[in-house]
């Protein structure tokens, strides 16, 4: 939630249990976190998030949505624009959380905060109801406490023993540091008095839970003491019962843990949001939550929505996936990730083509419309989103962004043919139309067309086409 100050961590993501963990666990472990049998998630996921970019060009404090079939590679909906924005309180949100209730519908919770004023106090959170995440109704702010502090990163999970939802959030109580508080609710309209849910004696924010995994409940959070994303566990859901365990993980300044259980394997993913640099999500994996250890996921294997911050992930059905895409649409652009430099994306800078480390502004410099080839419609041409009169073309074998002059030479220089990735056939390489022995590749981070002969050449010439 916060960009730099470790002492004032920002609200983070939602208690996973509420959305992904809770939903997945409820479905996979028989805990009814929300879904009725008719709504059982079977093959897909939805992500909620807000957006920030280094210079603010991609910043928006509304609810954004993306979908995925593997919980790793995400397609933003609504052109990565918000689908709903708060109208009360601070007039913006951070840390949205999506979970399916026991009646099969969804509830969306979020921090009442627009921007990065970590001193802004709000006893309220934003709440919406939704039957299918295609429309949002019943907008309200829900008051959780009367302390002179915030209510960061709200999340919820079903507490079977109490017969109510537990609503978790971060707040500074009389201890003087952030703790995880809990209120109980049956309807997300009225709540019980707040209690301290987890206080290890140091600053903690961004609680995310997985409930009922082999009889154990897991809580992940951002720890100011242990660093990065840390875990705690308990065989009970009672406040005060969780005990820290395991080895924390981090990549730079990391917060906002989100636990996701694969719908097709025994793998768990832990997503984390970084604020140094700001706006990058990293993922770790394990097949055993009880071990408390995580392995970084190769960045080749996952791609999060551009500028996404503090995500929430919930399982959905294939029908819901299709309905969301039909309602909000697919992106009108793509991004290209480097195979052997997966932290870098193809972009133009000063009209030259290169691969640069994400994030950067203008972020639209890395967005491309792959249109039918100007010289051969069986090929593709790369039209710039930020400079739509310009296309990538080679000139003296270097790739640059030029205005289409309508000439035959330009059309041929700007046309490429997609082929299976030279380093990995599940990826993509691009062969030059008028220099068919040459492929787009990066060299010293600049893009050019070259013959490809070595293993390094093949890796340099391989890209993923995503969002």
């Amino acid at each position: 939630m916060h960009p730099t100050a470790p002492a004032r961590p920002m609200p983070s993501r939602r208690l996973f249990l509420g959305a992904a963990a809770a939903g997945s666990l409820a479905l996979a472990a028989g805990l009814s976190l929300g879904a009725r049998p008719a709504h059982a998630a079977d093959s897909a996921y939805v992500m909620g998030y807000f957006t920030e970019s280094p210079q603010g060009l991609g910043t928006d404090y509304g609810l954004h949505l993306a979908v995925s079939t593997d919980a790793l590679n995400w397609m933003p909906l609504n052109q990565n624009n918000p689908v709903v924005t708060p109208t009360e309180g601070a007039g913006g949100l951070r840390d949205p959380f999506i979970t399916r209730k026991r009646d099969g519908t969804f509830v969306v919770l979020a921090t009442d905060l627009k921007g990065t004023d970590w001193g802004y106090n709000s006893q309220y959170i934003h709440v919406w109801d939704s039957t299918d995440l295609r429309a949002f109704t019943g907008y309200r702010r829900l008051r959780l406490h009367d302390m002179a502090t915030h209510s960061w990163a709200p999340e919820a999970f079903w507490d079977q023993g109490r017969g109510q939802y537990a609503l978790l959030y971060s707040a500074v109580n009389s201890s003087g540091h952030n703790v995880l508080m809990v209120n109980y609710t049956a309807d997300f309209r009225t709540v019980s008095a707040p209690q301290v849910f987890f206080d290890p004696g140091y600053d903690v924010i961004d609680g995310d839970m997985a409930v009922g995994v082999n009889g154990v409940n897991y809580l992940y959070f951002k720890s100011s003491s242990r660093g990065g994303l840390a875990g705690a566990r308990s065989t009970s859901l009672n406040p005060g019962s969780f005990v820290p365990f395991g080895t924390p993980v981090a990549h730079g300044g990391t917060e906002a843990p989100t636990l996701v259980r694969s719908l097709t394997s025994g793998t768990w993913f832990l997503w984390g949001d970084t604020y140094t640099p700001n706006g990058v999500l990293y993922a770790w994996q394990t097949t055993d939550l009880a071990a408390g250890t995580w392995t970084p996921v190769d960045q080749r294997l996952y791609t999060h929505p551009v500028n996404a911050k503090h995500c929430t992930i919930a399982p959905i059905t294939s029908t819901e996936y299709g309905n969301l895409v039909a309602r909000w649409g697919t992106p009108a652009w793509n991004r290209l990730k480097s195979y052997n430099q997966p932290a870098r994306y193809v972009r133009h800078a000063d009209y030259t083509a290169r691969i640069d480390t994400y994030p950067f502004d203008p972020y639209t410099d890395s967005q491309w419309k792959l249109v039918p080839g100007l010289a051969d419609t069986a090929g593709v041409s790369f039209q710039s989103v930020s400079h739509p009169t310009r296309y990538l073309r080679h000139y003296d074998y270097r790739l640059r962004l030029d205005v289409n002059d309508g000439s035959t030479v330009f059309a041929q220089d700007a046309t490429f043919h997609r082929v299976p990735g030279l380093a990995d056939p599940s990826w993509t390489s691009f062969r030059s139309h008028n220099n068919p022995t040459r492929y787009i590749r990066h060299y010293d981070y600049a893009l050019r067309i070259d013959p490809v002969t070595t293993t390094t050449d093949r890796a340099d010439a391989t890209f993923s086409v995503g969002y």
Side-chain angles (χ1 to χ4, degrees):
M1 173 164 178
H2 67 309
T4 54
R8 285 202 84 95
M10 30 196 202
S12 159
R13 36 210 71 213
R14 325 44 349 248
L15 225 181
F16 162 66
L17 180 288
S24 293
L25 288 170
L27 297 165
L31 297 175
S32 179
L33 180 266
R36 298 174 301 181
H39 294 270
D42 60 1
S43 65
Y45 311 80
V46 63
M47 174 189 285
Y49 54 99
F50 69 98
T51 59
E52 285 183 339
S53 66
Q55 297 172 24
L57 301 183
T59 296
D60 186 280
Y61 298 105
L63 174 66
H64 296 65
L65 296 179
V67 290
S68 173
T69 56
D70 63 3
L72 290 173
N73 293 286
W74 296 90
M75 180 176 72
L77 301 177
N78 200 35
Q79 304 305 318
N80 207 33
N81 294 316
V83 298
V84 68
T85 300
T87 56
E88 298 178 7
L93 64 76
R94 297 183 72 101
D95 322 321
F97 176 73
I98 300 169
T99 191
R100 196 192 297 273
K101 296 187 295 183
R102 288 170 58 78
D103 64 2
T105 66
F106 295 91
V107 66
V108 179
L109 313 175
T111 301
D112 175 19
L113 177 60
K114 182 178 182 179
T116 57
D117 179 4
W118 312 126
Y120 177 82
N121 290 333
S122 178
Q123 297 80 29
Y124 296 84
I125 60 171
H126 300 297
V127 183
W128 289 268
D129 302 309
S130 181
T131 58
D132 53 14
L133 301 180
R134 293 185 292 176
F136 300 87
T137 60
Y139 170 65
R140 56 200 179 272
R141 286 199 306 152
L142 180 61
R143 188 181 181 102
L144 301 181
H145 59 80
D146 60 5
M147 298 181 290
T149 184
H150 45 257
S151 309
W152 282 349
E155 300 202 8
F157 63 92
W158 178 250
D159 187 320
Q160 184 70 41
R162 288 176 172 80
Q164 290 186 303
Y165 298 96
L167 203 162
L168 300 186
Y169 55 96
S170 308
V172 177
N173 69 351
S174 58
S175 68
H177 59 259
N178 271 290
V179 301
L180 295 182
M181 303 291 294
V182 64
N183 301 66
Y184 296 96
T185 181
D187 55 10
F188 295 97
R189 290 183 177 274
T190 60
V191 298
S192 67
Q195 303 177 53
V196 175
F197 187 79
F198 179 63
D199 178 7
Y202 46 82
D203 206 59
V204 292
I205 62 170
D206 302 348
D208 194 70
M209 285 188 57
V211 172
V213 184
N214 297 322
V216 179
N217 307 303
Y218 294 89
L219 167 65
Y220 271 80
F221 54 93
K222 179 192 173 179
S223 168
S224 66
S225 173
R226 306 184 71 199
L229 311 181
R233 60 187 174 188
S234 172
T235 55
S236 164
L237 289 175
N238 291 333
S241 66
F242 283 79
V243 177
F245 86 111
T247 304
V249 296
H251 196 298
T254 311
E255 59 191 4
T258 294
L259 291 162
V260 185
R261 186 174 188 173
S262 169
L263 296 172
T264 58
S265 73
T267 301
W268 284 87
F269 299 110
L270 174 64
W271 286 82
D273 182 358
T274 70
Y275 52 92
T276 52
N278 187 37
V280 183
L281 302 184
Y282 290 97
W284 293 263
Q285 64 183 0
T286 186
T287 56
D288 183 11
L289 280 184
T293 57
W294 298 85
T295 301
V297 179
D298 188 332
Q299 280 188 278
R300 292 176 182 171
L301 301 179
Y302 65 92
T303 302
H304 64 80
V306 62
N307 301 325
K309 290 282 296 177
H310 290 205
C311 73
T312 173
I313 299 174
I316 57 176
T317 67
S318 57
T319 297
E320 289 170 330
Y321 178 100
N323 288 342
L324 284 171
V325 173
R327 169 65 178 89
W328 299 111
T330 60
W333 40 265
N334 292 100
R335 292 190 299 156
L336 279 72
K337 176 192 288 189
S338 167
Y339 176 77
N340 56 354
Q341 298 281 341
R344 293 177 177 262
Y345 287 78
V346 172
R347 59 89 58 94
H348 63 84
D350 295 328
Y351 302 125
T352 61
R354 51 181 295 107
I355 58 170
D356 276 350
T357 302
Y358 170 88
F360 47 76
D361 268 330
Y363 69 94
T364 50
D365 288 355
S366 66
Q367 293 177 318
W368 306 94
K369 291 185 177 181
L370 274 62
V371 300
L374 299 180
D376 182 349
T377 55
V380 298
S381 292
F382 298 93
Q383 181 183 17
S384 169
V385 167
S386 58
H387 293 70
T389 63
R390 294 177 179 262
Y391 295 78
L392 277 187
R393 59 88 61 93
H394 66 81
Y395 190 91
D396 287 341
Y397 304 133
R398 296 177 177 86
L399 260 67
R400 67 190 202 187
L401 195 69
D402 281 351
V403 175
N404 182 5
D405 62 10
S407 69
T408 298
V409 170
F410 184 95
Q412 292 181 341
D413 288 352
T415 299
F416 305 89
H417 294 271
R418 294 179 67 160
V419 299
L422 300 179
D424 183 334
S426 67
W427 288 51
T428 301
S429 293
F430 295 93
R431 177 172 52 83
S432 169
H433 177 72
N434 55 353
N435 284 268
T437 63
R438 293 175 178 263
Y439 295 80
I440 295 177
R441 59 89 56 90
H442 64 84
Y443 187 87
D444 286 340
Y445 304 132
L447 290 187
R448 49 182 295 118
I449 58 168
D450 280 341
V452 172
T453 57
T454 69
T455 299
T456 297
D457 292 344
R458 288 190 288 273
D460 289 350
T462 301
F463 304 88
S464 74
V465 179
Y467 302 106

